[in-house]
């Protein structure tokens, strides 16, 4: 944590943001062929929000490129 806080609210504590190497590998494979976030989450048995955070993480680390407007499975 960056600074001390008197009252703490833990956001998203019901989600699991830990990923095994095989899960990340499978995610990248699906992402590379253009699968939607929703399809990836169903395939991996994960909540769509957990996969969305992985997308952000992997994009920031330059492990994947963003799809554009079809991330959630339909054009916006």
């Amino acid at each position: 944590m960056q600074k001390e806080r008197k009252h703490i609210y833990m956001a998203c504590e019901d989600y699991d943001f830990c990923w095994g190497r095989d899960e990340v590998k499978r995610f990248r494979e699906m992402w590379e062929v253009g699968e939607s976030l929703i399809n990836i989450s169903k395939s991996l048995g994960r909540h769509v929000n957990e996969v969305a955070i992985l997308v952000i993480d992997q994009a920031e680390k330059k492990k994947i490129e963003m799809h554009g407007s079809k991330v959630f499975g339909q054009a916006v």
Side-chain angles (χ1 to χ4, degrees):
M1 235 178 340
Q2 303 237 346
K3 55 184 166 182
E4 191 174 330
R5 297 179 176 113
K6 292 182 180 182
H7 302 283
I8 296 175
Y9 169 76
M10 181 66 74
C12 302
E13 65 182 314
D14 293 334
Y15 296 121
D16 178 7
F17 297 120
C18 295
W19 294 85
R21 287 182 188 171
D22 290 341
E23 289 177 301
V24 174
K25 180 181 177 188
R26 180 70 183 130
F27 159 77
R28 286 184 191 157
E29 291 169 351
M30 294 180 75
W31 187 262
E32 287 297 315
V33 297
E35 286 291 337
S36 71
L37 190 63
I38 292 169
N39 287 344
I40 294 170
S41 68
K42 287 178 184 177
S43 178
L44 295 175
R46 302 292 287 258
H47 192 282
V48 70
N49 291 344
E50 294 170 357
V51 179
I53 295 299
L54 184 60
V55 169
I56 293 167
D57 172 78
Q58 294 292 285
E60 283 185 354
K61 292 178 179 171
K62 309 256 190 263
K63 301 290 185 178
I64 62 168
E65 292 185 24
M66 295 304 288
H67 285 171
S69 64
K70 290 184 66 177
V71 171
F72 287 96
Q74 52 188 295
V76 177

